[in-house]
Amino acid sequence: MGDFPVFRNYIDGSFVEGSSTFESINPSTGETWAIMPAAGAADTARAVEAANRAFLSREWAGLTPTARGKLLYRLADLLAENAQDLAEIETIDTGKIIRETKGQVGYTADYVRYFAGLADKIEGSHLPIDKEELEVYLRREPIGVVAAIVPWNSQLFLAAVKFGPALAAGCTIVLKASEDAPGPLLKFAELVDEAGFPPGVFNVITGFGEECGQVLTSHPDVARIAFTGGPGTARQIVQNSAENLAYTTLELGGKSPVIVFDDVNLDSMINGVVAGIFGAAGQSCVAGSRLLVQRRVKDELIGRLKAKAEDILIGDPSDPATEYGPLATKAQIDKVERVVESSIAAGAILITGGARPEGYQGKQYYLPTILDCSNVKDADSVTEELFGPVLSVLTFDTEDEAIAMANSTNFGLAGGVFTNNLARAHRMIRAVRSGIIWVNTYRVVSPIAPFGGFGESGLGREGGMESVLDYTRAKTVWINTSDAPIPDPFKMR
Ligand code: NAD
């Protein structure tokens, strides 16, 4: 164990061991690269209790909103300054290519700056009440201790859309990194420490779902849960929160449709489809994993996508030239293999991929894969979220058919529509059931724009001012401005 970097949890302003340790695997080599601390039940409870003490402390509760914003600005600067280090750790721990991790740390800093700027713009309101002599107003107060739980992909970013609004609003937080790749967030804890938050305001831990996650989401001191991950875990978390009745938001998976009409110029849109499914090797919640294409352009589009998919440069994710890396976990690649096999057995036609690339045996690489599922609309690859590089193609003739196919899932995170017909674009915007819809583009985000899903894709939105207010609770204040005595309640006037 001696030669590996050893990470620690960050609780109450100190770096501490977990109750046990576990090894983290580098997916591009299949070998251990670091030792991680697993927070047990007692460690997790200690982190929540520290966050609760900090929430009530003068050091934090007594800070002005502007001062809270300054701490967040400081953290954003540290993130930007340390982007290279953080990106390298994320690439080693998750296999995500360095180009993407570096870019993502950079815009994560922009997200934190956006939330920093909102800290002193959380306003209450004056209510024009229907009673004389009474002044009534609404205060916005921080909700309390936040339990934030993120998956292994894009974790600094997914953490920032939780701790940014939470701290801007005056909450305190316990952030749980995924046990699958906790390196980037545990390293980030060093920046939290350097930024100078009072002890206990911002705790960063990792551990296993059934122990650490369970204690975190059912603890009586937790008032707010912000979760990103899979729908199965979300259901467990909602059950856990029956204990503390914490207000919960959920950002879950998707099976997002990309709908291509035959009026488009394929040259200008094709990269939108490619980025939507093969970016991050398909390990993105908004992956455009179902391609719905109008019959007249189907063969040409599939041919071009095949050529593009086969041209993607696979390699070492730490090499800046690499365009495509491994899948993050063995469980991921096993699932992708199983679903591609069962879909082909059910009648899907393999256009390209469908295997591990040559020369990468024992590693977690899987080729960019396209399946023509036009004749098997219920193939597993069409219905299951794979979180992998598999594009399932379906064909439609009419707009109504496209809408029915797009909405034939319980998920509803994102959707893409490619058309040059403005009226049709607007009809599709209205008809597709998803929290985000991109027209003639795909997979773009901004801190200013809310992000989240319908149905099994989740509850609540992250990003925008609305998400900051979602970490506050309203207090209604009633003030009697009359000098007259309060009337006797038993003598009606
Ligand atoms: P996951 O649900 O298995 O794990 C996510 C987190 O939940 C981990 O930190 C895990 O330790 C924790 N957890 C597990 N069991 C728990 C329990 N009982 N109580 C509390 N916490 C528990 O997800 P994953 O496999 O790591 O990530 C992939 C999923 O995340 C996909 O479904 C993907 O679509 C989704 N995702 C969604 C978004 C979005 O913004 N909508 C973004 C990225 C990923």
Side-chain angles (χ1 to χ4, degrees):
M1 272 202 181
D3 289 346
F4 299 120
V6 177
F7 286 78
R8 286 177 298 166
N9 288 323
Y10 182 64
I11 299 176
D12 205 9
S14 300
F15 289 94
V16 293
E17 312 287 332
S19 61
S20 59
T21 57
F22 63 98
E23 296 178 9
S24 201
I25 307 293
N26 175 344
S28 69
T29 61
E31 286 165 12
T32 300
W33 79 278
I35 305 299
M36 301 298 175
D43 305 321
T44 309
R46 214 156 55 73
V48 173
E49 281 145 23
N52 197 37
R53 273 195 307 279
F55 182 70
L56 302 171
S57 72
R58 269 216 60 70
E59 277 170 292
W60 179 246
L63 280 186
T64 62
T66 308
R68 291 200 303 263
K70 280 188 181 154
L71 282 168
L72 276 171
Y73 276 121
R74 170 93 185 105
L75 186 57
D77 289 346
L78 288 167
L79 256 172
E81 285 161 25
N82 290 276
Q84 182 68 30
D85 268 10
L86 289 165
E88 281 171 12
I89 290 177
E90 187 164 359
T91 290
I92 294 173
D93 218 4
T94 65
K96 195 163 169 167
I97 57 174
I98 190 78
R99 278 190 200 186
E100 281 210 34
T101 51
K102 202 164 168 209
Q104 207 171 40
V105 179
Y107 73 73
T108 296
D110 292 342
Y111 267 70
V112 177
R113 285 195 186 98
Y114 170 78
F115 290 117
L118 291 181
D120 55 10
K121 290 158 197 77
I122 302 167
E123 296 176 352
S125 55
H126 181 262
L127 304 181
I129 201 79
D130 58 345
K131 298 185 192 327
E132 279 175 43
E133 313 287 356
L134 283 166
E135 280 293 331
V136 181
Y137 68 94
L138 210 72
R139 281 171 53 81
R140 290 261 164 208
E141 298 184 352
I143 204 164
V145 174
V146 177
I149 300 184
V150 293
W152 49 267
N153 68 307
S154 309
Q155 45 191 303
L156 277 161
F157 173 70
L158 294 173
V161 292
K162 297 173 178 57
F163 73 71
L167 296 172
C171 296
T172 57
I173 191 163
V174 180
L175 170 63
K176 179 188 148 357
S178 166
E179 63 275 35
D180 280 327
L185 283 180
L186 296 180
K187 177 74 186 167
F188 165 72
E190 292 174 14
L191 309 185
V192 172
D193 189 58
E194 202 179 329
F197 289 93
V201 167
F202 196 159
N203 307 274
V204 187
I205 61 175
T206 190
F208 296 94
E210 316 76 57
E211 188 175 17
C212 168
Q214 202 273 339
V215 171
L216 186 55
T217 48
S218 56
H219 196 288
D221 289 346
V222 166
R224 170 82 164 87
I225 299 169
F227 171 72
T228 299
T233 312
R235 288 195 170 84
Q236 285 173 357
I237 287 177
V238 170
Q239 281 176 15
N240 299 345
S241 71
E243 298 288 322
N244 53 18
L245 297 178
Y247 174 63
T248 302
T249 50
L250 307 167
E251 295 288 348
L252 311 178
K255 195 73 205 174
S256 301
V258 175
I259 308 163
V260 180
F261 286 93
D262 63 10
D263 61 62
V264 291
N265 174 345
L266 294 183
D267 287 332
S268 61
M269 55 71 60
I270 191 151
N271 286 332
V273 180
V274 174
I277 184 64
F278 299 132
Q283 302 167 105
S284 160
C285 53
V286 292
S289 53
R290 291 185 298 144
L291 174 65
L292 316 184
V293 55
Q294 204 159 17
R295 193 172 305 277
R296 198 174 64 79
V297 288
K298 178 191 163 193
D299 290 344
E300 189 182 350
L301 182 57
I302 288 189
R304 288 185 186 213
L305 285 170
K306 176 178 182 323
K308 282 259 175 196
E310 291 172 359
D311 199 36
I312 297 172
L313 184 63
I314 300 175
D316 174 358
S318 305
D319 180 344
T322 297
E323 296 170 344
Y324 184 94
L327 302 192
T329 64
K330 189 171 171 312
Q332 283 292 121
I333 197 158
D334 289 347
K335 180 172 185 189
V336 168
E337 275 184 332
R338 175 175 57 73
V339 168
V340 170
E341 271 170 33
S342 71
S343 302
I344 293 172
I349 299 163
L350 181 66
I351 305 290
T352 187
R356 299 183 186 222
E358 271 177 39
Y360 289 93
Q361 267 55 45
K363 299 173 185 172
Q364 290 161 198
Y365 286 75
Y366 197 84
L367 285 170
T369 296
I370 303 176
L371 293 173
D372 182 350
C373 300
S374 304
N375 297 322
V376 262
K377 291 190 191 127
D378 59 351
D380 293 341
S381 71
V382 178
T383 56
E384 282 190 40
E385 185 194 34
L386 287 189
F387 222 60
V390 181
L391 181 65
S392 299
V393 184
L394 298 169
T395 320
F396 68 87
D397 290 298
T398 66
E399 204 174 293
D400 284 348
E401 254 185 280
I403 293 166
M405 280 182 187
N407 291 342
S408 66
T409 166
N410 292 334
F411 289 116
L413 186 54
V417 177
F418 288 89
T419 179
N420 283 330
N421 179 329
L422 182 64
R424 166 180 281 159
H426 280 282
R427 289 194 297 274
M428 296 302 289
I429 290 166
R430 284 197 292 263
V432 173
R433 206 177 50 91
S434 63
I436 304 155
I437 188 139
W438 288 294
V439 178
N440 295 334
T441 184
Y442 203 83
R443 215 169 162 235
V444 279
V445 290
S446 157
I448 303 157
F451 182 103
F454 291 0
E456 285 207 10
S457 291
L459 291 174
R461 294 290 177 268
E462 293 188 324
M465 183 60 177
E466 227 182 287
S467 74
V468 178
L469 297 181
D470 225 19
Y471 285 86
T472 67
R473 54 191 170 191
K475 179 179 278 177
T476 311
V477 182
W478 296 78
I479 302 169
N480 182 3
T481 63
S482 165
D483 287 334
I486 296 176
D488 182 333
F490 302 107
K491 297 217 164 57
M492 294 300 188
R493 277 188 288 181

